[in-house]
Each structure stands twice: as structure tokens, then as C-alpha cells.
Amino acid sequence: MSIFDVLNLIGGLAVFLFGMSVMGDNLEKLGGGKLESILEKMTNNRIKGVLLGLAVTAVVQSSSAVTVMAVGFVNSGIMALRQVIGIIMGANIGTTVTAWLLSLTGIESSNVFLQILKPTSFSPVLAIIGVGLLMFAKTDKKKSVGNILLGFAVLMFGMEAMSSAVEPLKDVPEFTSLLTKFTNPILGVLAGLVLTAIIQSSSASVGILQALSSTGTISIAMAFPVILGQNIGTCATVLISSIGASKNAKRAAYSHLFFNIIGVILAMILFYGANAIFGLPFIEEKAGPATIAVMHSAFNIFATIVLFPFGKQLEKLMYVLIREDDDEKKLKEQKQKGAVVEERFLLSPAYALDKVKEQCSEMAQLAKDNIELSLNFLKVYSKAKDDKIKENEKLLDKYEDELETYLVKISTYDLGIDDSMKLSKLSHAIGNFERMGDYGVNILKTKRKMHVEKIHFSDEANRELDVMARAVKEIIENSTTAFINDDVDMARTIEPLEQVIDNLKAELRARHAKRMESGECSVENGILFFDIINSFERIADHCSNLAVCIIELSQGSFQTHSYLKGVKKAENTSFMESFENYLTKYKIR
């Protein structure tokens, strides 16, 4: 084997890894975070967890990626350790799909249908289709499909390059002699472990073993321990991901390691014990790519079947190894009180945006609750409501700080147009919800001052405030509902109502000014009255900002001023009809 063959092998490996990376990244983009959402929502049953881990890993071609994401779920408190154990088991089986795809390189037949299945036959077709989509498709989704096809084709070409590079080794006695050392199971396991830990991909290391097996110099006895070691080595990526994470996330990472170690020990006892007692007749047979795939799948299925009933015991073992302390308990309490976004979700920006949307929805509900508390507060002062409003405001501030920082981090990644628009919408919403909460606190301060200084409005002033408060309550209800449900139709009801609230503010100011002129109301009362209706009007403005954002982004643009200019034109019958209806509904009689 010449230096050029070595370079071809290294180049083939690089192309192989690049193909896997491109294919996995674009499958994630195409899914838009949905794959991770499925994992999160459907793992309450361990059997479902195994099946989902299997399916998702088979799609993204990386057990490490799925397991790292699962560790992130545990670290954020979304999932319990027992749920992750099922996903890990399924992911180990799912990652064997790559080996089966790569085993197609060993197809030898003159049958035209079998020839079509060979990568050398269909990979060029996929590559051409992929390049065509990348060059001529106009949507991000079609371009992602093109990248997936091209990534798969590149992966297969890399496998072919590796196979071609090691082809001369079958005639090199020194290489054959070196590989015979793998008949020592411990050396074989260590070789597979180190190789996989270095390149951080069991799929790639199995692919290398399959390429070597195509030389016809590797027996089942040599390949078996290497495959076992590869399954332990794949834990390296997950263990690295747990650095700096919570103790529970470390438990999830180590459960992956211990699952594979225990599985390897049991498999070695069974395999070599059976060989010692019965003398397995196939152990010295040559292993081809398909045989490697069979052994890889058999081990992971075996380990899952044997260890599945002991999932709870594995969980308890992790708690024995990594004990819970007071800091961990306090961290759980803090996460229950505030907005928590998990750093590891940044590996999947689309999913990270989905998690921010969930937190924003909670923020919207909190802002709505605070405004409603403030509106009710106007009628009767309550120390309990006073404390609740202040507590909610602190949470709103915390949401804004954490979510805005998180969005800045997401923005540093390569986002598609849809995700960029979603990020803009979320950032816009966060600021508006926080400001709504601020105006709720302004109302609180005004009412508190009135309570302390025994200041009261006239019955007429209270009646007018009640009409405007009902309008504000409706607009905050509609705007938060529109945001949480992405309801564009509901969002279109906001602007006409906001105009009515502007009119109410002007009318209430004029009416109260007359009462001040006639001596029915003091100047101090008037200032407090104006403060309240100003807060009402500003809350409505932020609701309008939110609604315009929802509508514009649903149309693929974010031109706020042009939208507002167009919607208020006299010929806009829909707007005028809603405006007239709200005028009637909130008319001061």
C-alpha cells in the first residue's frame, strides 16, 4: 500500500464524514425542529422511547447527535432520566442503518435490479438530482432536499474511495499479520473504542471496518471485538457534551456509556463462552460488509433486549454513581420559577427557536395575567394582588433577559429565511410583552398612591375608566391568543380596536379636563387619571405592534409602516367595519 493509497483512504474518510454531516444537518433543517419535538413529547413510555430513538437515529444517521440532544432535554428538565434511557437504547439500534446502507457495496450479481442497488449505480443519479435542486430550486426546503441527496451521494463516494484505497492490502502479508492480533478480544475492543472515540462516529468507524473487510482478510473472530469496541467509543461525543452540564445530564451521558459497557461484557461472555463450549463453526469465516452490518445490528438488538427490563436499575445505578446534592435541588426550584432555555439546543437552531416560542407563549400569558390583575386592581386595592403583580414583573424581566440573550446566540448560526423571520418575530414579541408588563406596574403604582393617600375618582370617572379597561382587556386577550396560536385572523382584529382605544383616550382626557375646570376633580386627581389612560393606550400600542408583526411575517415580510398605512385606508372595508363595531361596543354613554 503506497503513500498515495493512504492519502486516498484519508480523503475517502474525509468525504465520508462530510457527506454524513451535510445529510444530517439538512435533515435537521428540513425537519425544522420537529424531530426533536417528537422525542420530547413521546417518551413517556420506555418502549416508545426505544422506537423513537431508533427511528430518528436512522434518519439523521448519528446516534451521538440524538443522544447529545437527549442529554440536553435532561439538563433542561424537559425529560426525566428514565425517558432518556429508552431513547439511548433505540439510538444504538438506529445507528446500524448506516452499516446496512454501506453493506450494499458488497452486492455482486449480474441481476439488473441488484446492480441498481449498488451505490456506484444510484449515487451519481442522486448527486445529479441534488445539484439540480441546489442550482434551480427557489425554496429553502427544496434546497435542503438537494443537500440531503448530495450528502448521501458524497457519503457513498467516500465509502467507495476508502474501499479502493485498502484494496491492495489483501496482498500485503504484514497487514494480514497485524490484523490477526485482533483475535485477542481485548485488543480488538480497544482498537474499535479508540478509533471511534477519535473520529467521534460509530457509523464512520464501522464504515472503515466494512471497507477493510472488502479485502477478504478479516474474519468474524477479528471483526466481532472491534465492533463491540466501536459501540463503547461512540459514547465519547456524548460524554464531552455533558461537561459543565447538570448532574442529571451527566447521569444521562454515563447511562449511555454503562449501557454499552454492560452490553459488551455480556456479549463477550455469551460469544466466547459459546465458542469455548460448543466451538462455533463460523468464527473463522471471512467477514464481508454485510456480515459486519449483521454483527453490528445483532449486538445492539441483543443489548437492548437484555437490558431493557433493567432500565430502572440502570437509572438507580446512575444516581448511586452521581449523587444528588443541595445545589441540584435548588437549581430545579429555580428552573420551575423562571424561563430556562437549554444551551445544547443551539446545536439545532430550528428546534431552539421552537423552545423560545414556547417560553414566549408563557411570557405572553404572564403579561396578560399582569394586565388583567392591574385592571381589576383599579376597583379595589389588594396587597395580595400588589405582591403578585410585582412578582410577575420580575419573571417578565427574567424572561426578557434570558430569551433575548439566547436569540442573539441563535442568530450567529446559519439560518434559513423562515427561521430568520421567526427569530425577528420572537425578538419583537419579547420586547412588547415586557413593556406591557411595565405599564401594568405603572397602573399598580398609581392605584397604590391613591390607596395610601386616600384619593378617589368620581363615579363618572370610574365608569369611563371601566369602559376603556374592558377594551384593553379584550385587546390583550386577542393579541396574546393570536401570538400563542399563530392566528393571523385574530391578529387582524387588533388594529381596529387599537384605534378605538386611541379615540377613548382622547375622549376621556377631554371629559376629565372639563371636570377639572368645573372643580369637580382636583389637579392631582387629574394627573393620576391621565397616567392610567396613558398606560391603557400604551398597552394597546404594544398589542398592535405584536399583531402587525404576526400578520407581516405570515406574508413573508416585515414592513410594519407599509402595513399600517395600507390597513387604515378608507377603502379598507374590513378594517372600517371592525372599527365601527368596536366604536359601538365601547361607546361611553
Side-chain angles (χ1 to χ4, degrees):
M1 187 175 182
S2 69
I3 184 63
F4 299 105
D5 291 323
V6 174
L7 291 175
N8 285 335
L9 176 62
I10 295 172
L13 174 61
V15 170
F16 179 86
L17 292 172
F18 176 72
M20 280 203 301
S21 176
V22 170
M23 185 169 61
D25 289 348
N26 283 277
L27 279 165
E28 164 58 35
K29 270 189 182 178
L30 190 65
K34 293 183 177 64
L35 296 177
E36 293 89 344
S37 296
I38 292 172
L39 281 176
E40 176 190 339
K41 295 175 183 176
M42 299 183 66
T43 51
N44 53 344
N45 177 292
R46 206 163 358 118
I47 294 177
K48 288 182 181 178
V50 171
L51 295 175
L52 284 166
L54 190 161
V56 176
T57 307
V59 170
V60 301
Q61 304 274 314
S62 174
S63 61
S64 296
V66 174
T67 309
V68 166
M69 186 61 66
V71 170
F73 288 145
V74 174
N75 198 43
S76 64
I78 292 173
M79 289 169 57
L81 179 59
R82 62 181 179 276
Q83 295 172 286
V84 170
I85 289 173
I87 289 178
I88 289 169
M89 293 178 177
N92 278 18
I93 298 175
T95 196
T96 65
V97 170
T98 308
W100 282 104
L101 291 173
L102 298 178
S103 71
L104 298 177
T105 56
I107 294 175
E108 295 293 343
S109 172
S110 59
N111 186 292
V112 66
F113 294 107
L114 289 179
Q115 286 294 319
I116 290 174
L117 290 176
K118 293 188 69 173
T120 50
S121 301
F122 65 75
S123 292
V125 177
L126 295 182
I128 291 170
I129 296 172
V131 170
L133 288 172
L134 284 176
M135 292 178 65
F136 302 111
K138 295 182 179 179
T139 64
D140 282 348
K141 287 189 176 180
K142 288 182 180 178
K143 287 183 182 294
S144 292
V145 171
N147 274 318
I148 291 166
L149 296 177
L150 192 57
F152 183 80
V154 168
L155 181 152
M156 287 300 183
F157 280 125
M159 183 64 202
E160 286 293 322
M162 287 191 292
S163 297
S164 298
V166 298
E167 179 71 20
L169 289 177
K170 65 181 180 181
D171 300 320
V172 180
E174 292 81 8
F175 180 71
T176 305
S177 174
L178 177 65
L179 288 179
T180 56
K181 294 180 180 179
F182 289 167
T183 54
N184 180 324
I186 304 300
L187 287 176
V189 169
L190 289 175
L193 188 160
V194 172
L195 175 64
T196 308
I198 290 173
I199 63 177
Q200 296 195 26
S201 172
S202 62
S203 296
S205 62
V206 170
I208 292 171
L209 185 61
Q210 286 178 299
L212 291 172
S213 72
S214 65
T215 64
T217 57
I218 296 179
S219 66
I220 290 175
M222 298 175 192
F224 182 72
V226 176
I227 291 171
L228 298 185
Q230 287 168 336
N231 281 277
I232 298 176
T234 194
C235 300
T237 307
V238 183
L239 292 174
I240 291 171
S241 79
S242 70
I243 295 173
S246 69
K247 286 194 172 185
N248 217 25
K250 286 183 170 66
R251 294 184 191 107
Y254 281 99
S255 68
H256 185 216
L257 175 65
F258 275 79
F259 170 80
N260 283 306
I261 289 175
I262 295 169
V264 165
I265 292 171
L266 293 176
M268 291 183 73
I269 291 172
L270 180 64
F271 184 81
Y272 293 107
N275 185 53
I277 297 171
F278 305 108
L280 301 177
F282 56 81
I283 196 167
E284 294 302 330
E285 291 182 6
K286 300 304 177 185
T291 308
I292 302 295
V294 169
M295 288 192 288
H296 190 36
S297 296
F299 165 72
N300 284 290
I301 293 171
F302 162 79
T304 299
I305 292 174
V306 171
L307 295 176
F308 182 82
F310 301 98
K312 290 183 179 179
Q313 286 73 18
L314 182 60
E315 182 182 1
K316 289 179 180 178
L317 175 62
M318 294 304 102
Y319 276 96
V320 170
L321 293 173
I322 304 175
R323 296 186 177 278
E324 189 174 43
D325 56 21
D326 293 337
D327 289 339
E328 189 176 2
K329 293 175 182 177
K330 289 178 181 178
L331 183 61
K332 286 181 181 178
E333 293 175 0
Q334 290 172 0
K335 287 184 177 182
Q336 290 171 353
K337 291 179 180 178
V340 178
V341 277
E342 171 54 49
E343 292 287 328
R344 282 165 185 76
F345 293 151
L346 292 172
L347 294 172
S348 172
Y351 183 66
L353 286 171
D354 286 345
K355 301 312 298 178
V356 174
K357 171 64 189 302
E358 288 181 15
Q359 298 289 348
C360 274
S361 295
E362 292 182 17
M363 193 179 183
Q365 187 62 48
L366 197 59
K368 173 190 162 190
D369 292 345
N370 233 24
I371 298 300
E372 290 182 349
L373 280 170
S374 300
L375 297 179
N376 295 332
F377 199 67
L378 282 173
K379 298 176 181 178
V380 180
Y381 177 82
S382 164
K383 183 65 169 63
K385 288 180 181 178
D386 190 322
D387 293 338
K388 183 63 177 174
I389 291 170
K390 288 187 290 185
E391 181 185 342
N392 286 353
E393 177 58 22
K394 287 180 181 178
L395 282 177
L396 282 170
D397 289 341
K398 186 175 181 180
Y399 270 108
E400 184 192 32
D401 290 342
E402 292 192 14
L403 295 180
E404 284 288 8
T405 301
Y406 198 67
L407 286 179
V408 170
K409 292 179 181 178
I410 296 175
S411 69
T412 62
Y413 288 79
D414 182 22
L415 301 178
I417 294 175
D418 290 343
D419 287 337
S420 295
M421 296 291 282
K422 186 185 292 186
L423 187 146
S424 296
K425 169 185 171 183
L426 292 172
S427 180
H428 197 70
I430 289 166
N432 280 289
F433 288 135
E434 195 277 331
R435 292 300 294 150
M436 289 180 199
D438 286 346
Y439 287 109
V441 172
N442 286 351
I443 297 171
L444 160 69
K445 290 177 180 177
T446 301
K447 183 60 181 180
R448 187 191 297 143
K449 178 180 176 65
M450 293 175 64
H451 173 73
V452 171
E453 298 181 12
K454 308 284 190 221
I455 298 173
H456 301 284
F457 294 140
S458 65
D459 290 341
E460 185 180 1
N462 282 325
R463 182 170 56 81
E464 291 169 356
L465 282 177
D466 184 60
V467 172
M468 194 171 181
R470 285 191 291 108
V472 171
K473 188 173 183 179
E474 180 170 352
I475 200 170
I476 189 74
E477 173 72 36
N478 289 357
S479 60
T480 52
T481 300
F483 174 80
I484 292 170
N485 299 327
D486 283 320
D487 190 336
V488 177
D489 290 335
M490 178 69 77
R492 294 186 192 281
T493 69
I494 305 301
E495 194 57 34
L497 182 51
E498 191 272 336
Q499 289 295 300
V500 169
I501 291 172
D502 282 351
N503 288 2
L504 283 170
K505 174 189 172 183
E507 184 176 355
L508 264 60
R509 283 183 68 89
R511 284 170 172 258
H512 205 70
K514 287 183 179 179
R515 286 192 289 270
M516 290 168 63
E517 289 175 7
S518 64
E520 296 178 43
C521 186
S522 67
V523 173
E524 185 178 16
N525 278 22
I527 293 172
L528 295 174
F529 186 88
F530 292 152
D531 283 344
I532 291 173
I533 61 174
N534 282 338
S535 294
F536 282 173
E537 188 264 341
R538 293 301 297 146
I539 290 169
D541 285 345
H542 287 291
C543 289
S544 171
N545 292 342
L546 193 63
V548 172
C549 173
I550 294 168
I551 294 166
E552 285 296 290
L553 290 178
S554 72
Q555 298 170 351
S557 66
F558 197 10
Q559 301 295 324
T560 303
H561 296 296
S562 62
Y563 169 78
L564 290 175
K565 186 176 179 181
V567 79
K568 296 176 182 177
K569 287 182 179 179
E571 61 266 23
N572 190 328
T573 55
S574 176
F575 175 86
M576 293 307 299
E577 183 179 338
S578 296
F579 178 70
E580 293 294 337
N581 288 336
Y582 282 127
L583 272 180
T584 303
K585 184 175 183 179
Y586 295 111
K587 185 176 182 180
I588 298 176
R589 307 183 189 282

